């Protein structure tokens, strides 16, 4: 039997309409969608990656000291990398030395705390790059004290 001629003409016309709609959608999409989503333009230069500036560093030789006749208890101090170190009990004279490295010009914090088991005096000192920056003495037994800068 075959397809009647009226249906065949309608099918061809519908096909042309669909193609026209698709072409119009393509044109509208290419105008509306931002250029950045279609990739970089061929004539625009690509920016070079940003390299971070080098940070100047400074290193400091640090020594913590505890001096006394009967040792020290509950010793806590900030060490390299600002890590906290704790010791339940140390014999005196006692010292801890390390090098702290950080950005140049930055103010550094140094601290040591201890308890005087007594009797007698317990002295703490902080020496940075050969210079005494903190010095403190306590005579009361059982007293917690600290040196900090």
């Amino acid at each position: 039997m075959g397809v009647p001629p009226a249906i065949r003409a309608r099918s061809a016309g519908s096909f042309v309409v669909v193609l026209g709609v698709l072409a119009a959608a393509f044109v509208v999409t290419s105008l509306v969608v931002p250029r950045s989503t279609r990739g970089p333009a061929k004539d625009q230069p690509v920016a070079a990656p940003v390299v971070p500036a080098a940070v100047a560093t400074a290193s400091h030789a640090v020594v913590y000291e505890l001096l006394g006749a009967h040792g020290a208890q509950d010793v806590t101090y900030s060490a390299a990398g600002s890590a906290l170190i704790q010791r339940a009990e140390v014999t005196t004279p006692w010292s801890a030395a390390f090098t702290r490295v950080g950005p140049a010009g930055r103010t550094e914090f140094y601290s040591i705390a201890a308890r005087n088991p007594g009797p007698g005096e317990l002295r703490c000192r902080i020496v940075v790059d050969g210079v005494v920056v903190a010095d403190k003495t306590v005579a009361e037994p059982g007293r917690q004290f600290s040196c900090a800068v």
Side-chain angles (χ1 to χ4, degrees):
M1 238 173 122
V3 178
I7 294 178
R8 206 174 308 147
R10 191 181 294 163
S11 297
S14 296
F15 181 73
V16 171
V17 170
V18 169
L19 281 179
V21 169
L22 289 176
F26 177 75
V27 169
V28 169
T29 302
S30 65
L31 294 174
V32 172
V33 175
R35 186 160 186 81
S36 64
T37 61
R38 291 185 278 153
K42 305 270 189 269
D43 56 350
Q44 292 181 350
V46 177
V50 176
V51 179
V55 175
T57 59
S59 62
H60 300 283
V62 181
V63 180
Y64 292 132
E65 298 175 335
L66 292 172
L67 309 164
H70 299 285
Q73 298 173 334
D74 304 326
V75 178
T76 303
Y77 60 96
S78 60
S82 299
L84 284 178
I85 309 293
Q86 295 183 314
R87 304 279 185 252
E89 191 170 351
V90 298
T91 57
T92 51
W94 172 89
S95 67
F98 60 92
T99 300
R100 184 175 291 172
V101 178
R106 179 177 81 179
T107 301
E108 295 287 336
F109 176 73
Y110 305 103
S111 172
I112 181 168
R115 183 177 310 282
N116 181 12
E121 293 183 340
L122 179 61
R123 179 180 182 190
C124 66
R125 291 188 350 152
I126 301 174
V127 181
V128 178
D129 296 331
V131 176
V132 176
V133 295
D135 190 344
K136 190 172 183 181
T137 303
V138 66
E140 299 170 36
R143 176 133 185 242
Q144 181 80 24
F145 76 112
S146 65
C147 285
V149 77

